[in-house]
Amino acid sequence: MSEPLPLDHGHLQQLVTADLVRPDHLLGAHPTTENGVEGVRFGVWAPNAHHVSVVGDFNGFNGFDHPMQRLDFGFWGAFVPAARHGQRYKYRITAQDGRTEDKMDPYGTFFEVRPATASIIWNQPFTWTDDRWMGAREPGLERPVSIYEVHLPSWARRDDGWFMNYRDLAHRLGDYVQYMGYTHVELLGVMEHPFDGSWGYQVTGYYAPTSRMGSPEDFKYFVNHLHGLGIGVLLDWVPGHFPTDNAGLAHFDGGPLYEYADPRKGFHQDWNTYIFDYGRNEVVMFLIGSALKWLQDFHLDGLRVDAVASMLYLDFSRTEWVPNIHGGRENLEAIAFLKRLNEVAHHMAPGCMIIAEESTSFPGVTTPAPFGLGFDYKWAMGWMNDSLRYFEQDPLWRKHHHHALTFFNVYRTSEHFVLAISHDEVVHLKKSMVAKMPGDWYAQRAGYRAFLALMWTTPGKKLLFMGQEFAQPTEWNHDAPLPWHLADVPDHRGVMNLVRRLNGLYRTRPDWHVGDTKEEGMLWLSADDTESSVYAFVRRDPQGGGWSVVVANLTPVYREAYPVGVPQGGTYRLLLSTDDGDYGGFGTQQPDLLAKEEGWHGQTHHLRLNLPPNSVLVLSPAHGLADGEDAEAEAAEVASDLQ
C-alpha cells in the first residue's frame, strides 16, 4: 500500500484550493511508519471544532490519550503508535459551545455493521486480474449497453436470512447476468449507510462499500470477477444529499460544515436530509475524491449520479428558496461541481461512464463540459413516464393517447439517453411492471412483453430493475430476497426467455444500438394509426446499413394481413415475435413474408402481417442477416455463447 501524503502546509493548501482530487490520500486513517515506529496517521477536517481527539480500540475509546494537533486551514492530525489494522475508531469532536460528539471518519474505508457506527482501520492488499478489461472499456455510445439494476442485499439472501457475501454474489449474480445477456450491472445500496430502508441513498460512508456483505477486498473480488466474465459494474452514487444521523457528516464539527448553513438551501424537507455545500472547495474535493475512489481503487466502470435535478435547482421541491447571484433558480455552485466532476472523472478514469438521473429539460446534460454538464448519458425520464402512462391505459382508450409513444422521437437525439425502468417504478404502491398492465393475467403478460420489446428496439441504452426480467408480480421489497421460485414457473419463465432473447439480438445487431444518438437510426413507417393502436418503424445502422422493421399491435385485437411498408422487396425473416410460445404467447404464424411490390407507408414495398394481440414483431430482410444466415439461428448461437 502506498504511503499517505504528508499533512503539511502545501498539501493542505492543495485541498483547500481544490487542486487535490484524491483528498483521501491525505485525510482519514493511514497505517504508516513514523521515525521507525509503526502506527496509524489520522487526519480530519473540522475547522470550527474547539478540540478533537481520536478514540478507538487502541485506547479504550478514551478521549484524553490521543488528542489531535490543530493544523493549517482547519485540519487536525495525529499519529497513534498503538493503532493497527482492524481496530475500530472515531473522532471525538468538541464544538465551540462545549458539546462533544463521536463522529465516523468521513474518509473511512470500512465500518462496523449497522447499527454500530465506528470506522475501522483497514489496509489490506488485493491483486487485480482485469488489466485487459480496464484498458479496453469505454462509455460505448455506439456499443450495446444493457444494464441490470441490482440491490445486492435483496437480490438474494443466505438460507439463514442474512446478507450474502460479495464473493458469493460475484459468482451467483455474475453467472446469471451472463446467462441473461446483460452488458452491465448497476448497484444500489453499496456505499455504507445506516438504515436499510434508505436502499443506500442516505450515505454515511462515501469511501466504503457497506460491511453488510463483506470487506472492501470482498467487494473488489466481486468487481474483478464480473470483469472476468465481460460484465461492467456501475454504482449508484449520491452527491446530492446526506442523512441527519449524528454519527455521520451532519453538523460535523458542531455546526454546518459539509452542508449549506441556510436551511432554505441546505435541507431537503422531502427526504429529511442535508444538502452538500458545493461552494466549499473542501466539500467539492471530498465528493470528487469519493467518485475517484470507486472508479480508480475499486475499478468501477461508471457512476449513476442520483437526483441530479435536486442539485441543479435551488427551488427543487420547496416553496421558500434563495436565488443565485443573478436572481435565478439554478444552483450555480452545484452546476460547476458537476462539470468539474465529469472532467476529472473522465481524465483520471479513462473509459468510465457517468450517467445522470436528471428529470427536467435542463440543457446540455450530456454535452461535454464546459459548455454542458459533461455526462455520458442521461436517464430518459420523459420516455419512461410517457410509455408507462400509455401502457397503463385500458386498450380501449389507448387511441386517445397514441402519440405518447411517438413523442420521444421528437427529442431523442437531444441527449444521450438510457431507457430506464428502475427500482423507483416498482415501489410505493406503483405496482410491479407486469401488474401495471391492464386486463387478466394473460393480457398483462402479453402487454408487458410488448412493452419490453418496444423498449429494447427504441433508440437508447437499456436498464431494467431486478425481478422485472421474470415478471415479478409484486412490488420490490428491500427486506426480502427476490421470489426466485417464480423463474421456474412457465408464465414467468417465458418473460425471462424474452428478455434474454432481446439482449442477445440487441448485442449482436448493430441496427439496434449503433444509431441510438443519430436521427437516421430510426425511421417511422406508421405513427398515426390511432384507431388500431398500431406502430411501425425501422431501426437502422447508419454505418453498416443493416436494418430491421418493428411492428407493434397494442390492443387485444388480432389483425390479419395488416399492411406494413418496407424499404425494399424480397423475403423477410422474423427475428422476434413477443407472441411466440417460448415467451408465453399463442405462437401466431406468418404464412407469407415476401414483400409485395405495391408501395405503402411511403415505402416502395409492403408486407402483409398477422398481428397478434398486444404484441411486437421484428423482421429483417433475409439477405441482410449476418453472412446470409437465419436470424433465429444467429440469435440461438449468441444465446448459447452467453451461457
Side-chain angles (χ1 to χ4, degrees):
M1 306 296 283
S2 60
E3 285 292 307
L5 297 174
L7 285 170
D8 56 23
H9 177 88
H11 287 96
L12 294 173
Q13 186 177 50
Q14 278 187 299
L15 201 164
V16 171
T17 57
D19 292 323
L20 186 65
V21 296
R22 288 299 303 266
D24 55 313
H25 292 171
L26 185 66
L27 303 179
H30 295 275
T32 187
T33 300
E34 289 193 8
N35 299 321
V37 178
E38 293 185 354
V40 176
R41 209 277 311 283
F42 296 90
V44 67
W45 178 52
N48 302 307
H50 176 70
H51 177 81
V52 182
S53 60
V54 58
V55 299
D57 292 327
F58 40 81
N59 60 17
F61 284 85
N62 183 338
F64 298 101
D65 287 357
H66 295 103
M68 301 185 77
Q69 178 185 0
R70 183 185 288 273
L71 305 172
D72 296 329
F73 310 113
F75 296 94
W76 301 73
F79 177 76
V80 180
R84 65 180 184 274
H85 169 81
Q87 291 183 323
R88 300 172 301 158
Y89 72 98
K90 289 187 176 182
Y91 295 118
R92 182 160 296 167
I93 299 177
T94 301
Q96 294 292 337
D97 62 5
R99 290 178 300 158
T100 298
E101 195 143 35
D102 287 355
K103 290 286 192 176
M104 304 164 68
D105 186 351
Y107 290 91
T109 57
F110 195 32
F111 293 89
E112 290 184 286
V113 178
R114 57 93 175 101
T117 58
S119 309
I120 300 175
I121 301 166
W122 206 254
N123 186 36
Q124 288 284 87
F126 181 82
T127 302
W128 293 93
T129 59
D130 63 348
D131 289 351
R132 183 177 178 182
W133 171 274
M134 295 295 288
R137 69 180 186 179
E138 61 176 75
L141 289 178
E142 295 183 348
R143 290 185 178 184
V145 175
S146 182
I147 303 168
Y148 186 53
E149 189 189 32
V150 180
H151 179 255
L152 288 178
S154 61
W155 186 78
R157 293 283 181 100
R158 296 187 332 198
D159 292 340
D160 62 3
W162 189 247
F163 305 105
M164 292 185 69
N165 185 272
Y166 291 118
R167 293 175 185 259
D168 296 328
L169 283 164
H171 292 271
R172 185 167 171 179
L173 177 63
D175 290 348
Y176 178 72
V177 170
Q178 188 179 49
Y179 169 80
M180 290 299 295
Y182 290 99
T183 63
H184 293 74
V185 297
E186 180 181 314
L187 306 176
L188 57 133
V190 168
M191 291 191 292
E192 192 59 85
H193 55 284
F195 177 50
D196 293 359
S198 78
W199 312 334
Y201 290 105
Q202 295 199 13
V203 177
T204 49
Y206 276 83
Y207 287 75
T210 177
S211 55
R212 291 167 174 82
M213 293 170 287
S215 69
E217 287 66 48
D218 293 333
F219 183 70
K220 290 177 180 178
Y221 180 94
F222 174 91
V223 176
N224 191 63
H225 182 75
L226 264 63
H227 283 175
L229 297 176
I231 301 166
V233 184
L234 312 174
L235 174 68
D236 279 9
W237 187 64
V238 192
H241 60 117
F242 60 91
T244 58
D245 296 63
N246 289 335
L249 297 175
H251 288 183
F252 187 77
D253 59 0
L257 183 65
Y258 285 87
E259 65 269 44
Y260 284 113
D262 189 334
R264 294 174 298 172
K265 194 175 181 180
F267 189 75
H268 272 307
Q269 297 286 346
D270 291 352
W271 303 329
N272 191 39
T273 54
Y274 290 119
I275 301 170
F276 283 106
D277 184 348
Y278 307 106
R280 301 194 72 153
N281 287 339
E282 298 90 341
V283 174
V284 169
M285 289 299 99
F286 168 78
L287 290 171
I288 288 178
S290 166
L292 292 180
K293 173 77 173 181
W294 294 103
L295 294 171
Q296 293 184 316
D297 295 6
F298 288 105
H299 287 204
L300 288 210
D301 301 292
L303 304 172
R304 197 276 292 180
V305 182
D306 181 66
V308 170
S310 73
M311 302 169 64
L312 294 177
Y313 297 103
L314 296 164
D315 62 347
F316 179 87
S317 192
R318 63 177 73 239
T319 57
E320 188 177 3
W321 53 283
V322 182
N324 62 37
I325 58 173
H326 304 298
R329 57 193 285 256
E330 296 80 12
N331 188 333
L332 303 180
E333 296 162 343
I335 291 170
F337 158 69
L338 291 171
K339 292 182 178 185
R340 178 82 187 277
L341 163 72
N342 284 309
E343 285 184 318
V344 171
H346 289 116
H347 177 70
M348 300 292 289
C352 72
M353 179 190 305
I354 313 295
I355 305 169
E357 184 210 10
E358 205 285 305
S359 56
T360 74
S361 57
F362 189 92
V365 173
T366 57
T367 300
F371 303 104
L373 295 183
F375 287 94
D376 295 293
Y377 295 103
K378 167 182 172 172
W379 274 14
M381 307 296 281
W383 166 87
M384 180 270 296
N385 288 321
D386 290 341
S387 297
L388 292 184
R389 187 162 52 248
Y390 178 89
F391 273 88
E392 287 173 341
Q393 296 289 328
D394 186 299
L396 183 64
W397 307 111
R398 284 179 176 172
K399 63 183 179 181
H400 302 299
H401 304 270
H402 190 79
H403 291 293
L405 293 191
T406 63
F407 183 61
F408 179 59
N409 202 50
V410 174
Y411 63 90
R412 66 174 178 80
T413 60
S414 63
E415 302 277 7
H416 303 153
F417 285 109
V418 174
L419 310 185
I421 297 296
S422 74
H423 62 281
D424 281 330
E425 310 318 315
V426 294
V427 290
H428 301 324
L429 303 181
K430 294 180 182 177
K431 303 179 183 179
S432 70
M433 282 299 297
V434 71
K436 295 178 191 290
M437 305 295 150
D440 60 17
W441 176 230
Y442 181 86
Q444 285 181 315
R445 287 183 292 119
Y448 184 42
R449 293 194 303 267
F451 174 89
L452 290 169
L454 280 179
M455 175 178 172
W456 255 258
T457 53
T458 295
K461 309 311 178 186
K462 323 300 175 189
L463 179 145
L464 189 65
F465 183 57
M466 65 181 197
Q468 309 315 303
E469 78 278 11
F470 59 83
Q472 180 177 344
T474 56
E475 289 188 341
W476 168 49
N477 178 4
H478 69 270
D479 284 327
L482 292 180
W484 284 109
H485 64 281
L486 294 177
D488 293 324
V489 176
D491 286 356
H492 297 273
R493 170 64 69 169
V495 176
M496 180 184 286
N497 290 341
L498 174 64
V499 173
R500 183 171 182 240
R501 179 61 176 282
L502 287 168
N503 275 330
L505 289 168
Y506 173 65
R507 293 178 66 163
T508 56
R509 291 195 60 88
D511 51 317
W512 283 32
H513 59 257
V514 170
D516 281 345
T517 62
K518 298 178 175 62
E519 288 286 351
E520 59 270 29
M522 176 181 171
L523 170 69
W524 280 106
L525 298 172
S526 175
D528 299 313
D529 189 354
T530 58
E531 287 300 317
S532 300
S533 295
V534 172
Y535 303 81
F537 58 89
V538 171
R539 283 304 311 272
R540 298 191 295 192
D541 171 11
Q543 299 177 2
W547 53 277
S548 53
V549 177
V550 181
V551 184
N553 174 27
L554 301 182
T555 62
V557 177
Y558 172 75
R559 304 188 187 281
E560 186 174 7
Y562 186 92
V564 176
V566 291
Q568 67 183 44
T571 302
Y572 283 70
R573 302 288 179 86
L574 188 64
L575 297 178
L576 179 83
S577 169
T578 61
D579 186 59
D580 193 294
D582 287 343
Y583 312 138
F586 281 122
T588 302
Q589 298 299 305
Q590 302 295 330
D592 182 11
L593 290 177
L594 180 66
K596 312 299 187 292
E597 292 188 5
E598 181 184 359
W600 213 279
H601 293 149
Q603 306 301 310
T604 57
H605 294 72
H606 77 276
L607 295 167
R608 292 280 177 171
L609 301 175
N610 295 335
L611 304 186
N614 284 322
S615 66
V616 171
L617 306 177
V618 186
L619 307 100
S620 179
H623 72 272
L625 300 177
D627 298 325
E629 295 177 352
D630 189 298
E632 295 282 340
E634 179 188 359
E637 181 180 350
V638 171
S640 176
D641 291 343
L642 294 174
Q643 295 183 54

